[in-house]
Structures are given as C-alpha cells and as structure tokens.
Amino acid sequence: MIKIDFFYKKIIIYFGLIPLLITGCSNTNKGGITIPQISNNEAKIVEPELKPKDGQIILRLAENHPESHPDTVGDKVFARLVEERTNGRIKIIVYDEGILGDEKSVVEQVQYGGIDFARVNCAPLADIDPKLNILSLPFLFRDSQHLWKVLDGDIGQQLLVTLIPENIIGLAYYDSGARSFYTKKMVKSVSDFKGMKIRVQQSKIYTDLISALGAIPVPMPFGDVYTSIQMNEVDGAENNWSSYLSTKHYELAKYFLIDEHTRTPEIVIANKRVMENLSKEDQLLIKNACKDSAAIQRETAITSEMKAKEYLVQNGIIITELGLNEKKEFDKAVSSIYNTYGKDNKDIIKKIRETQ
Ligand code: GTR
C-alpha cells in the first residue's frame, strides 16, 4: 500500500537517514537502508550518506521521480557535472522517489534550508510566488517549441529569479511536456467531467482549472495518487506521458484524453543561503552545470515521451483527441482562469502569445 510505504519511508528518513546526515558520520560499511518503493513492493536500497572529506561540501537534492525518469536523469547529470568540475570538492546527492518528502513540503524545506536543492514542478512553487502561475495558464503555449522560446528568452529568465525574495534561487528549467487527463471512464468533452473527481497537484491554479471544467478537484501529493485511483477516491488525474507511465497510473485509468491543457515546466531550485555560502565561482559553476544538465534532460524527456506513448498504446490505453468543437468548449470553460490569474500579467501574456 502506497500510504503505508510513505509512512515507513518517513520513519526511516526521520529516524535513520537524517541523524546520519546531521552528524555527518555515516558509514558506508554499515550497509544500506531498505526503503520500499512508491508503486510496487520492491525494496530500494539507499546508502547512508558519505562523510565529507576535508574541505568537501556535500549537498542534497530532492526528486520525486524514480531513477529512470528524465527528471532524475537530469538531476544526476547536474550532480555529476558539479562533481567533475570541482574535482569532487562539491558533491550533490540525489534523493529520488520522493524520499525527502512530497513536493509541497520539499519546496518549503528548500525555502527554509532543510534541503539544498530540489527538482520540482513550477505549479506548487507558484503558491509562494504567484508570478509563476503564468507558466500554468491553460492552453497558453501552442507547443513545446513555443514554451522553450519563452523559457529560454527574457520572460523565462526573469521568472527564474522571481523567487529570490522567498529564499529560493531558480537554476534551470527542465522539460515536462504537456499535461493531459487520464480517467477511469472515457471523457470526450467538457460535459463529461461533470461530477468527476480529478486529482491535481497541490496548487491553487490547478485546483481552479479543474473546477472551471466542471469536475471536482482533489489536491494531493503525487505519491498518493495510485492508491487514490485504486480506492475510487478519485476518478482520474492529469499528467504528462512519462509520468503516466512511470507511476503506473495507466493500469487503473486507461482513458487518456490528449487535451494538453498545460505545459507547466519543471524547475531546479536551490536554497538561497546555501548558494550564497559558496564562492562566486562555485555559484556560477553550479548554475552552469544545471543549465548544461537541462539540455540533456530535455533530450531525454523527448525520447522518454515518445517511448512512453508507444508502450502505453501497445499496453491497452485508449486515446481520445479533442475535436475542434470540443477544443473550443475547453477554451471557453477555462477562460475564467485568465481573469483570476492573468489580470495582473496581461503584458507578459501578450508577449508570450506574440512569441514566434
Ligand atoms: C510530474 C512532475 C512532478 C509532480 C507531478 C504531480 O509531472 O514532474 O514534479 O509535480 O507531476 O503531478 O504531482
């Protein structure tokens, strides 16, 4: 059971791993800690933390995906580049599968310094800095090229530093593809959503988006979704292809509606004080390493999306695409989101729309 797994994970982390990290006296000879995985019963071994050598800095990065997911691949490239470029003086350890907590609490921990780095989605971050909601506005980005033109341009780069007053530094964006709905029964039009309970990220704009479509939003941590679909607590959820596959949600909710309502990117964030405690050269080195990892993550995400789609189609999911009229209905239904979340950012939204 996922909830039990999470419970054990937390117990193990709080009473096992964290004391080792705090005292810095972990010992690899003591053997690993066994942690059950999120969506199945295989055990995952997490080696106790390394003791920093003289002058070495060890930092932690939180990730909620498993090892094979493109986001985790990106994190690991980031960690490797930092290690290589500092000759091992700075080491970043990636804690994947949400073992450092769910996304919302990880964001808070990065903000208050309990975790040094995290790769998270921009949606839950926007509750700290509402400007980031721009990146979650429904149907704003025409396609992936449009999104990346904006993220790599002035708007994207300005939004990266918008969290600094909140003690968070955005280092680089990672690709998340487009999010679409998957449900236990087929959804073809807005009216089909009526009365359906749809899981959303713990994010206000996503909650409002689901309500605008006439469904009942159920915000919850990512790691709880499988069980909630299984227990009929929700009738479906929404995510990108790679996550739909890696979470195995397709086993329970096989109707996939390609509506691509949002393209909220992923972001790698750092605690501001952790960064400021490093020399200017190291800060730059970390920022560049993260940007370089983003290039590899993007390529990996594209391949992963293609492979996921192919695998899922072969494994019985049923795809529905929005027809022109249905798309118009979707656009109309979500227009209220622009009134609420777009009203203070009309200029930026206009610039985004005009970006070719
Ligand atoms: C994934 C994203 C995760 C998390 C998750 C969710 O696409 O990579 O960080 O935000 O969606 O829906 O909770």
Side-chain angles (χ1 to χ4, degrees), residues 218-346:
V218 185
M220 73 175 72
F222 193 37
D224 293 352
V225 185
Y226 188 92
T227 313
S228 297
I229 305 178
Q230 198 170 39
M231 310 293 278
N232 290 323
E233 287 162 6
V234 293
D235 305 302
E238 48 82 52
N239 220 312
N240 55 40
W241 287 102
S242 297
S243 297
Y244 181 44
L245 174 65
S246 66
T247 52
K248 301 198 172 130
H249 293 170
Y250 70 94
E251 293 175 348
L252 306 168
K254 65 173 181 182
Y255 294 98
F256 195 93
L257 173 70
I258 307 186
D259 72 310
E260 305 196 331
H261 47 272
T262 50
R263 292 185 176 269
T264 320
E266 318 286 5
I267 184 170
V268 181
I269 52 171
N271 171 268
K272 183 168 164 255
R273 212 178 35 223
V274 166
M275 286 294 279
E276 286 172 354
N277 281 343
L278 300 169
S279 68
K280 287 263 176 296
E281 292 74 28
D282 283 347
Q283 289 181 36
L284 189 64
L285 185 146
I286 286 182
K287 283 183 186 160
N288 286 337
C290 197
K291 285 202 178 108
D292 293 344
S293 76
I296 295 174
Q297 190 277 345
R298 272 194 229 177
E299 280 169 27
T300 315
I302 293 167
T303 321
S304 158
E305 179 176 308
M306 265 160 39
K307 285 192 178 153
K309 204 166 167 180
E310 204 176 292
Y311 176 89
L312 289 160
V313 169
Q314 278 164 10
N315 282 274
I317 66 147
I318 295 156
I319 294 180
T320 310
E321 300 203 30
L322 279 187
L324 268 181
N325 287 341
E326 288 78 16
K327 172 72 174 70
K328 277 190 194 145
E329 270 175 34
F330 267 69
D331 284 337
K332 196 167 160 225
V334 300
S335 60
S336 60
I337 301 295
Y338 280 82
N339 303 337
T340 317
Y341 294 91
K343 63 175 186 313
D344 298 331
N345 297 301
K346 284 193 177 135

Side-chain angles (χ1 to χ4, degrees), residues 64-65 71 103 119 121 176 179 199 201 222 239-240 243 266:
N64 60 13
H65 288 297
D71 289 345
E103 200 152 272
R119 191 292 314 158
N121 191 261
S176 192
R179 294 178 82 101
R199 177 270 169 175
Q201 302 187 69
F222 193 37
N239 220 312
N240 55 40
S243 297
E266 318 286 5

